[in-house]
Amino acid sequence: MKQSPPAEIDIADMTWPPPPYRSPVPPVTGADGVRRFDGITYATTPGYRPRLLDVQVPAGEGPFPAVVWIHGGGWLDGDRRYPPPTVPADLLHGTVLAAGLALVSIDYRHSLEAPFPAQLHDVKAAIRYVRAFAGDLGIDPERIGVWGESAGGHLAALAGLVGPDGPQGAALEGAEGVGSGASGVRAVVDWYGVADLVTLAEHPMPAMPGTEFPDPYEALLGATVAERPDLARAASPVTYADGSNPPPFLLVHGTHDGLVPYSQSEALAAALKSAGGEVTLQPVEGADHIFLGSSAIPAIVEGGVAFLARHLGAGA
């Protein structure tokens, strides 16, 4: 059988180095009317995997306020597509969309790929990308919030508190992806995130039998806290809590968390209150990390969504 000649490649369409991000492709619309943009490349850096995000936009007329979801995993692991095992993805995603909020789920570089502040640079790049392409995505660029769990909660807190005019602002903003533009947010939900790496160094990591898991804090910093106390402070949300006009925060934390002590959220709440910020600290009584041991997870999810919907003006 005669084969067709190979398609010609238009050299004019090829670029090197690769572009720093890709424009959104048309969405796939489900039977529920939800528009889904999957696997958008929001940032590229030579030598690293492309950073991807997914967007789900509610049915109906937009533009919609948006929530940027940041996964956990000790900065060493995790995936934008999967919440913690205690929180079903259908519950989290469905509750967000039902409230009239778009959901943006992002990946970021893990700590053994690149140490801090690479992770914050990627979160900032994702927020800038959503703003730059808000019209294509059906999102209101002025109504963006962040929500993260564990390592993602830490990054969500930093995204809410670190600005270009603050301490080390330019260095912490980064220039990944869409290299310029606003990266601020209007509200933060932080589930059991680290707030102060310096004091956390005094809390021993629980043993993990049968695993050879790197120390997550040393991997994040590329050194121990004792070796780089300056970097540990730079990576700690409490360092920036006294900045001008922080966004509203909802901190949710298990009181028996053996990995990230409840006192971490207490410290961040106290610092935000001292600075005049609006903050709600919600203890989950008896729960361990990722809310293990709690039967109230649907209510916890609904509370986070209600907080974001209120502060982002969903339905307005």
Side-chain angles (χ1 to χ4, degrees):
M1 183 172 66
K2 185 177 179 181
Q3 293 184 336
S4 301
E8 292 187 4
I9 297 175
D10 187 350
I11 301 299
D13 292 337
M14 299 178 65
T15 60
W16 190 262
Y21 55 85
R22 300 281 184 178
S23 300
V25 298
V28 173
T29 303
D32 55 2
V34 173
R35 299 187 299 283
R36 293 176 170 84
F37 303 79
D38 292 329
I40 299 173
T41 298
Y42 75 85
T44 63
T45 308
Y48 298 97
R49 61 191 167 99
R51 269 81 79 208
L52 306 180
L53 59 78
D54 300 334
V55 182
Q56 300 180 65
V57 183
E61 294 295 325
F64 295 93
V67 178
V68 176
W69 168 260
I70 311 172
H71 70 78
W75 309 282
L76 287 158
D77 196 9
D79 185 309
R80 70 187 187 280
R81 297 168 294 177
Y82 308 118
T86 49
V87 181
D90 287 347
L91 171 66
L92 179 69
H93 297 181
T95 308
V96 170
L97 292 165
L101 299 165
L103 180 65
V104 181
S105 305
I106 71 169
D107 282 334
Y108 53 87
R109 282 171 290 179
H110 294 155
S111 57
L112 293 184
E113 295 178 89
F116 185 85
Q119 297 71 32
L120 181 58
H121 288 173
D122 290 348
V123 171
K124 293 280 191 176
I127 295 167
R128 289 194 298 265
Y129 184 96
V130 171
R131 280 211 167 88
F133 290 98
D136 300 277
L137 299 171
I139 286 173
D140 184 341
E142 301 303 319
R143 294 188 290 164
I144 297 175
V146 286
W147 185 353
E149 61 95 15
S150 195
H154 161 262
L155 294 172
L158 284 175
L161 294 172
V162 171
D165 298 326
Q168 304 183 56
L172 294 174
E173 285 287 318
E176 303 290 329
V178 177
S180 62
S183 65
V185 297
R186 285 181 51 171
V188 178
V189 176
D190 172 359
W191 279 358
Y192 45 87
V194 170
D196 186 343
L197 273 81
V198 176
T199 61
L200 193 61
E202 303 168 4
H203 176 77
M205 283 287 294
M208 298 182 182
T211 65
E212 294 185 5
F213 204 74
D215 182 292
Y217 311 117
E218 186 173 341
L220 178 69
L221 301 177
T224 66
V225 171
E227 291 168 336
R228 290 296 310 274
D230 57 332
L231 188 57
R233 286 190 292 272
S236 297
V238 293
T239 300
Y240 312 99
D242 61 353
S244 59
N245 197 27
F249 268 71
L250 172 62
L251 308 174
V252 190
H253 209 132
T255 58
H256 288 185
D257 193 325
L259 187 61
V260 179
Y262 178 72
S263 58
Q264 287 282 302
S265 285
E266 287 183 310
L268 182 54
L272 288 166
K273 286 180 180 177
S274 178
E278 178 184 342
V279 56
T280 300
L281 174 58
Q282 178 183 335
V284 183
E285 295 296 337
D288 201 340
H289 204 62
I290 67 171
F291 304 134
L292 278 169
S294 175
S295 60
I297 287 173
I300 293 170
V301 171
E302 289 170 3
V305 170
F307 175 87
L308 290 163
R310 182 170 69 254
H311 288 287
L312 299 180

